[in-house]
């Protein structure tokens, strides 16, 4: 079973209690997420060897973050410690007609301050099948952007395939004078699998897709991506239809360079517990199935089922097993399991 190495920042998530706005009462719920860490935990829960490469502060907060990942079976031996603080984000879950809101506090974190060459990638990627990165990392600043590019370039030289999740974060890009289009384009250039959709592709290529039919625009953008990025073999993403803050429909599409198109869903998700991390759950599910050259259609169904289940799990981590996901993907019912 091919090992997946994930690279990105681990954060403290500080969340208002259910139904409250931030600091309505002086309580916050604490967890340790991160886009790539979420993927690593999911993969480990599926039984796949997964490692998390990151930089954390050399203090109790950084140590606790690594201990949390290790608790779920993620290899953190490649994590480094450095000067700086722990990156934070504050979350207020939505309710009724009030949408969820994220407030970032990540400037000067140990990860963002780390030198681009702080990680010696050759031994960490030795024997790995995949490197997973996301667009969150380069949004943190020049050093983090250079580190992400260095990681995917090294993976390419070593014959390790790259998985890239767009995860565009405009609030973070706005804090520095980086070029998100050019940097994202350099990352996608190295990807075999990309979790991006029309807007990500248009941003990277500096063009728009204007057909009135969103499905036509989606297909046109995928064709443009395959033409622009010769290494790219698979594109996948979800569609979300929101009937209310806690009432969504989730479906997904996967396209291959050979022209195949697979669709899955929709799942109707009512009474959502926590949608944050749903995209990472989808990426982990698809990557888990494709990592050993699995069937793309099955990979899409597994990934969407994993994302659907995540909406019933509090926190960013998708704490479900491979068996849980397969049961849903194969039409399992909702009776109590005894």
């Amino acid at each position: 079973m091919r090992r997946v190495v994930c690279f990105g920042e681990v954060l403290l998530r500080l969340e208002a209690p259910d139904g409250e706005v931030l600091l309505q009462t002086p309580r916050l719920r604490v967890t340790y997420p991160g886009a790539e860490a979420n993927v690593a935990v999911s993969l480990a829960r599926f039984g796949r060897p997964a490692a998390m490469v990151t930089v954390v502060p050399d203090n109790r907060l950084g140590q606790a973050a690594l201990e949390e990942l290790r608790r779920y079976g993620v290899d953190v031996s490649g994590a480094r410690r450095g000067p700086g603080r722990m990156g934070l984000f504050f979350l207020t879950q939505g309710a009724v007609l009030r949408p969820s809101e994220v407030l970032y506090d990540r400037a000067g974190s140990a990860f963002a301050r780390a030198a681009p060459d702080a990680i010696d990638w050759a031994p960490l990627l030795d024997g790995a099948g995949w490197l997973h990165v996301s667009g969150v990392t380069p949004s943190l600043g020049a050093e983090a952007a250079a580190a992400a590019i260095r990681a995917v370039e090294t993976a390419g030289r070593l014959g390790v395939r790259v998985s890239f999740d767009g995860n565009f974060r405009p609030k973070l890009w706005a804090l520095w004078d980086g070029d998100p289009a050019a940097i994202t384009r350099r990352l996608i250039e190295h990807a075999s699998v990309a979790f991006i959709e029309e807007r990500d592709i248009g941003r990277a290529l500096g063009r728009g897709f204007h057909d009135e039919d969103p499905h036509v625009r989606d297909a046109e953008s995928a064709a443009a991506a395959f033409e622009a990025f010769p290494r790219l073999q698979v594109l996948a993403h979800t569609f979300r239809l929101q009937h209310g803050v806690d009432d969504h429909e989730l479906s997904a599409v996967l396209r291959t360079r050979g022209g195949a198109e697979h669709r899955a869903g929709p799942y109707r998700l009512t009474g959502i517990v926590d949608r944050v991390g749903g995209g990472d759950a989808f990426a982990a599910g698809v990557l888990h199935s494709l990592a050993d050259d699995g069937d793309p259609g099955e990979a899409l169904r597994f990934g969407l089922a994993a994302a659907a289940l995540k909406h019933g799990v509090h926190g960013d981590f998708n704490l479900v097993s491979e068996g849980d996901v397969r049961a849903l993907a194969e039409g399992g019912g909702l009776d109590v399991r005894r």
Side-chain angles (χ1 to χ4, degrees):
M1 186 175 279
R2 291 173 182 154
R3 181 167 61 96
V4 178
V5 177
C6 301
F7 175 56
E9 183 171 28
V10 184
L11 303 160
L12 274 177
R13 165 175 148 170
L14 302 165
E15 179 186 353
D18 294 343
E20 295 185 7
V21 297
L22 192 63
L23 296 180
Q24 180 177 336
T25 57
R27 296 179 297 164
L28 291 171
R29 181 183 291 165
V30 180
T31 52
Y32 291 90
E36 301 82 4
N38 299 340
V39 170
V41 168
S42 280
L43 293 171
R45 295 281 295 181
F46 297 153
R48 179 170 296 279
M52 183 68 195
V53 177
T54 189
V55 180
V56 297
D58 190 12
N59 58 32
R60 181 63 190 127
L61 294 178
Q63 183 61 32
L66 299 183
E67 289 172 356
E68 183 73 354
L69 292 174
R70 190 182 295 115
R71 182 163 76 96
Y72 291 112
V74 176
D75 176 9
V76 295
S77 60
R80 302 291 182 262
R81 292 168 175 78
R85 53 182 288 256
M86 195 80 187
L88 313 176
F89 79 89
F90 298 85
L91 173 66
T92 303
Q93 294 281 9
V96 192
L97 297 179
R98 173 172 54 79
S100 298
E101 184 175 4
V102 169
L103 174 64
Y104 290 114
D105 182 15
R106 304 172 70 162
S109 71
F111 185 88
R113 290 179 56 184
D117 60 355
I119 306 296
D120 182 5
W121 281 107
L124 297 178
L125 292 174
D126 184 34
W130 291 83
L131 171 69
H132 178 74
V133 297
S134 89
V136 176
T137 294
S139 72
L140 297 176
E143 290 81 4
I149 291 169
R150 180 172 176 268
V152 298
E153 289 178 344
T154 304
R157 288 196 299 272
L158 297 176
V160 176
R161 287 183 284 182
V162 172
S163 163
F164 175 74
D165 193 339
N167 275 335
F168 183 63
R169 297 290 186 267
K171 288 183 179 180
L172 296 176
W173 282 108
L175 297 177
W176 69 292
D177 60 353
D179 185 340
I183 293 170
T184 301
R185 190 163 55 247
R186 289 188 66 181
L187 294 172
I188 300 175
E189 284 173 355
H190 293 274
S192 296
V193 174
F195 301 96
I196 52 178
E197 42 83 38
E198 173 197 332
R199 291 172 296 180
D200 300 307
I201 296 167
R203 188 180 301 111
L205 298 182
R207 56 169 291 190
F209 305 94
H210 306 294
D211 196 281
E212 292 182 359
D213 186 334
H215 296 291
V216 172
R217 294 198 306 270
D218 191 59
E220 289 177 347
S221 67
F226 284 124
E227 181 179 0
F229 304 111
R231 295 189 187 184
L232 191 60
Q233 299 300 313
V234 173
L235 278 174
H237 66 87
T238 57
F239 296 95
R240 185 183 296 273
L241 178 61
Q242 300 188 65
H243 301 286
V245 169
D246 63 350
D247 183 5
H248 300 179
E249 286 184 35
L250 198 66
S251 58
V253 62
L254 181 151
R255 293 183 172 90
T256 68
R257 173 168 290 279
E261 179 182 305
H262 303 273
R263 292 185 176 272
Y267 288 107
R268 184 69 180 258
L269 308 174
T270 57
I272 292 171
V273 172
D274 192 339
R275 64 170 285 186
V276 180
D280 304 322
F282 174 73
V286 172
L287 182 56
H288 175 57
S289 296
L290 292 179
D292 299 317
D293 302 318
D295 175 74
E298 181 181 345
L300 182 67
R301 291 187 291 274
F302 186 88
L304 184 61
L309 287 173
K310 167 62 194 71
H311 289 70
V313 180
H314 185 268
D316 283 49
F317 295 164
N318 194 21
L319 303 179
V320 298
S321 69
E322 182 177 29
D324 294 330
V325 178
R326 294 207 181 280
L328 178 60
E330 294 166 6
L334 299 177
D335 290 338
V336 176
R337 297 178 185 176
R338 301 183 187 275

